[in-house]
């Protein structure tokens, strides 16, 4: 058994222990879903930051850097911008209405049909996102243990489901501080060691450390170091897609907003995302550089295993600490996204839509049941997923349509319920067609990133329908009761 594997096992047992401690905090469904709305600034900020240091921000960014270079740094820059926008402009609106899910908030902004389509869209998107994160977690375990990738994914998915069943959001909150400490030390220490100690050992680096040595090693491997080390190696359209995915997607991301719902008050909900943005900013630099090192050193042919292969081929203690940091990031993100998906399924679709007579006691049971169903199905789905970060932007694009509806609902007087419903529907259908090339390869034909494509579809649909639709008595009667006062200014 390797030292890295031993460190990982010890850390995992510690995390399980913290998760079990949280069980005593759960007294009802509100404790399970939003931690009783008692989370302080530390818990909320590190929980949000840990989510964006997960599979996409570690395994996914290393994978992209391995293939296409350091242009991947824009992923976390864009995410930081999205978190700041969310904190300054949206978080207090969510928190002050004491809602639990994004579709529930859209119900208050619009009407029942908008809430229903938003619920379906979120469940689809977040199930897919859970699959993506479990794939990343399995790839790390495969690198450390040598197990088959598919088997590693299945084991990790089942383990994460059991962990989250214990105490819901309290499980995530209790472990997030430990996660953040591990991430904040393990990953940068491993990055420093690779750049200063490992790169000079490569015969092609000419004994140089840092990015000079990495450039020499890349050139020595018959690769274009100038292009791969450039922050614009992905091209302008990909960078624009990152920004649209981050800026538009995050303010409507259930897994992020969950922690704001659980904040002690609206001030905590507003400040925490800003602090989280600062914490995540340098992560793509660290992981992307280690992904490029794996390629220059010839450690693996599988881009998904680039980061794990790097950490398994350096000093075992340093590598073990780095693996613990990546593992912490992955667990925190899988937990947050899986829990966000189950929350919408239990609260919006099951309780409010299909079984409105479900009381608090049974809602807790159904939430745990949906955690189990979604977790197991995601684990099996993750066994065949290609290109982690590429697939994630399909989900970001759907979330961008949600954010457009939220923003217009808050700040535009002419925003119409029909516009919100069709903007979400068109974004979902258009995103599926674009992602799976139905009936044509849209990216080849239109030269647009999927985030740009879905944003344009939903934005144009929303504005056109709002401008052409009239507010009537029937429209106003379909509004939630406490928003009927808005009908006067909209007629």
């Amino acid at each position: 058994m390797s030292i890295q594997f031993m460190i990982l096992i010890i850390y995992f047992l510690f995390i399980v222990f913290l998760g079990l401690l949280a069980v005593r905090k759960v007294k009802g469904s509100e404790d399970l879903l939003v931690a009783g709305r008692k989370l302080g600034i530390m818990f909320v900020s590190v929980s949000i930051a840990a989510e964006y240091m997960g599979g996409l921000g570690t395994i996914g960014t290393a994978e992209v850097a391995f293939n296409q270079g350091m242009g991947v740094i824009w992923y976390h820059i864009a995410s930081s911008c999205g978190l700041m926008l969310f904190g300054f402009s949206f978080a207090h609106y969510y928190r002050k209405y004491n809602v639990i899910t994004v579709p529930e908030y859209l119900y208050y902004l619009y009407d029942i049909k908008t809430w229903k389509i938003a619920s379906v869209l979120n469940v689809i998107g977040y199930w897919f996102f859970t699959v993506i994160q479990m794939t990343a977690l399995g790839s790390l375990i495969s690198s450390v243990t040598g197990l088959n990738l598919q088997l590693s994914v299945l084991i990790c998915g089942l383990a994460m489901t059991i962990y989250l069943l214990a105490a819901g959001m309290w499980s995530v909150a209790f472990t997030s501080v430990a996660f953040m400490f591990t991430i904040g030390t393990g990953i940068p220490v491993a990055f420093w060691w690779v750049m200063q100690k490992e790169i000079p050992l490569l015969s092609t680096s000419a004994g140089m450390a840092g990015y000079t040595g990495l450039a020499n090693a890349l050139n020595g491997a018959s690769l274009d170091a100038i292009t791969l080390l450039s922050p614009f190696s992905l091209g302008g359209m990909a960078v624009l897609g990152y920004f649209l995915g981050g800026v538009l997607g995050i303010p409507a991301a259930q897994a992020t907003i969950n922690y704001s719902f659980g904040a002690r008050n609206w001030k905590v909900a507003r400040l925490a995302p800003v602090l989280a943005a600062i914490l995540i900013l340098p992560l793509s630099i660290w992981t992307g550089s280690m992904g490029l090192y794996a390629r220059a050193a010839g450690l693996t042919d599988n881009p998904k295993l680039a980061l794990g292969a790097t950490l398994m081929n350096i000093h075992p203690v340093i590598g073990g600490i780095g693996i613990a940091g990546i593992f912490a990031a992955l667990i925190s993100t899988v937990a947050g996204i899986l829990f966000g998906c189950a929350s919408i399924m239990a609260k919006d679709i099951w309780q409010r839509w299909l079984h409105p007579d479900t009381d608090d006691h049974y809602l807790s049971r159904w939430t745990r049941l949906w955690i189990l169903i979604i977790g197991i199905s995601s684990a099996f789905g993750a066994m065949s997923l290609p290109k982690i970060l590429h697939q994630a932007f399909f989900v970001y694009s759907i979330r961008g349509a949600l954010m457009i509806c939220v923003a217009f609902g808050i700040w535009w007087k002419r925003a119409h319920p029909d516009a919100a419903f069709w903007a979400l529907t068109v974004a979902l259908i258009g995103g599926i067609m674009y992602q799976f090339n139905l009936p044509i390869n849209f990216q080849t034909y239109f030269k647009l990133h999927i985030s740009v494509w879905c944003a344009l579809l939903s934005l144009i649909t929303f504005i056109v329908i709002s401008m052409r639709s009239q507010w009537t008595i029937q429209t106003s009667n379909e509004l939630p009761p406490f928003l009927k006062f808005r009908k006067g200014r909209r007629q």
Side-chain angles (χ1 to χ4, degrees), residues 433-453:
M433 293 173 63
Y434 194 99
Q435 184 73 7
F436 299 104
N437 300 321
L438 300 172
I440 61 172
N441 189 322
F442 286 89
Q443 187 169 12
T444 301
Y445 190 79
F446 290 103
K447 308 295 183 183
L448 295 174
H449 191 276
I450 188 172
S451 296
V452 180
W453 169 259

Side-chain angles (χ1 to χ4, degrees), residues 148-479:
N148 175 272
L149 178 59
Q150 283 72 28
L151 180 59
S152 299
V153 166
L154 182 60
I155 292 172
C156 292
L158 296 177
M160 281 305 308
T161 302
I162 294 170
Y163 153 80
L164 196 57
L165 282 171
M169 186 176 286
W170 276 118
S171 289
V172 180
F174 260 54
T175 54
S176 287
V177 176
F179 287 155
M180 197 65 218
F181 176 78
T182 310
I183 296 165
T185 55
I187 298 176
V189 166
F191 162 75
W192 176 85
W193 186 272
V194 167
M195 300 301 289
Q196 299 300 319
K197 303 295 184 181
E198 298 295 332
I199 287 177
L201 299 179
L202 297 176
S203 59
T204 53
S205 69
M208 303 293 289
Y211 287 104
T212 301
L214 181 57
N216 291 337
L218 290 169
N219 288 326
S222 301
L223 299 169
D224 185 353
I226 294 177
T227 298
L228 290 174
L229 290 173
S230 168
F232 302 102
S233 64
L234 303 186
M237 184 56 67
V239 173
L240 177 60
Y242 279 11
F243 270 92
L244 283 177
V247 173
L248 294 183
I250 289 175
Q254 178 69 34
T256 301
I257 298 168
N258 260 344
Y259 305 113
S260 294
F261 292 151
R264 183 179 297 132
N265 53 53
W266 70 267
K267 293 180 180 179
V268 170
R270 189 172 194 175
L271 179 60
V274 179
L275 297 179
I278 297 170
L279 292 173
I280 70 171
L281 195 56
L283 187 62
S284 293
I285 298 174
W286 302 335
T287 56
S289 299
M290 288 190 279
L292 272 183
Y293 168 78
R295 186 172 182 184
L299 300 181
T300 181
D301 294 326
N302 187 343
K304 286 191 183 68
L305 303 181
L307 189 56
T310 295
L311 297 173
M312 288 299 292
N313 283 276
I314 63 176
H315 189 283
V317 174
I318 300 296
I321 294 172
I323 286 171
I326 304 297
F327 186 67
L330 293 171
I331 290 180
S332 63
T333 307
V334 173
I337 292 172
L338 171 56
F339 184 70
C341 185
S343 298
I344 294 171
M345 192 68 208
K347 184 68 178 177
D348 287 291
I349 295 181
W350 184 259
Q351 185 191 42
R352 297 192 65 187
W353 185 352
L354 300 177
H355 294 273
D357 57 339
T358 301
D359 61 18
D360 184 80
H361 175 70
Y362 283 100
L363 180 59
S364 297
R365 289 189 178 183
W366 278 107
T367 300
R368 286 190 166 97
L369 178 61
W370 283 114
I371 290 172
L372 183 64
I373 293 171
I374 294 169
I376 292 175
S377 63
S378 299
F380 281 99
M383 296 172 71
S384 60
L385 182 74
K387 292 186 179 181
I388 294 170
L389 194 59
H390 172 74
Q391 300 294 334
F393 275 94
F394 169 61
V395 183
Y396 278 153
S397 300
I398 293 174
R399 293 194 327 203
L402 287 165
M403 185 270 190
I404 288 171
C405 293
V406 171
F408 276 115
I410 293 174
W411 291 303
W412 194 33
K413 293 182 179 181
R414 292 205 59 170
H416 196 278
D418 291 345
F421 174 81
W422 285 110
L424 296 177
T425 302
V426 168
L428 176 60
I429 296 173
I432 292 173
M433 293 173 63
Y434 194 99
Q435 184 73 7
F436 299 104
N437 300 321
L438 300 172
I440 61 172
N441 189 322
F442 286 89
Q443 187 169 12
T444 301
Y445 190 79
F446 290 103
K447 308 295 183 183
L448 295 174
H449 191 276
I450 188 172
S451 296
V452 180
W453 169 259
C454 287
L456 288 174
L457 287 180
S458 56
L459 182 63
I460 293 171
T461 301
F462 195 101
I463 292 175
V464 169
I465 293 180
S466 288
M467 295 297 291
R468 293 177 61 87
S469 299
Q470 296 295 322
W471 279 80
T472 65
I473 294 176
Q474 181 180 356
T475 304
S476 299
N477 287 338
E478 292 173 353
L479 288 175

